[in-house]
Amino acid sequence: MPANSKYLTTSRAQRLLRLLTGFVGGYAITTLVHLLAASYVSKSIALITFTFSGFILWAVLFITAYIPKKTWHALVIYTGISVILGMLLFCVPANQPTL
């Protein structure tokens, strides 16, 4: 059964922005989360574990970009999370002890 057309976005720009928000924003958040986590664990453990969890987290973030009704809500949320994670990563001392 096809989707009801009154619920679909007619603007190509809105669809493209939501797609890019999910793809690029999800990748940015995934990368920042794993870089932040890698600063606290051993690099060899991080590489193996984050290879698998990175794809799963990115896929979840890509799908959740479609949940908000307005496209700009998703864009603001993903940008805000990326900025917060980037600031946290910037504040982490360079010489963290590895486990």
Side-chain angles (χ1 to χ4, degrees), residues 26-97:
Y27 181 75
I29 292 172
T30 301
T31 303
L32 287 169
V33 164
H34 287 98
L35 284 173
L36 193 61
S39 64
Y40 291 105
V41 297
S42 173
K43 304 300 184 234
S44 61
I45 294 171
L47 181 65
I48 300 300
T49 305
F50 298 156
T51 301
F52 299 109
S53 66
F55 177 74
I56 294 168
L57 181 61
W58 174 79
V60 168
L61 288 169
F62 188 84
I63 292 169
T64 55
Y66 287 90
I67 291 176
K69 298 267 187 218
K70 304 277 187 191
T71 303
W72 66 273
H73 286 152
L75 184 62
V76 167
I77 290 169
Y78 277 42
T79 303
I81 293 172
S82 296
V83 167
I84 290 169
L85 289 173
M87 288 190 309
L88 285 174
L89 185 63
F90 184 72
C91 294
V92 171
N95 294 327
Q96 282 289 329

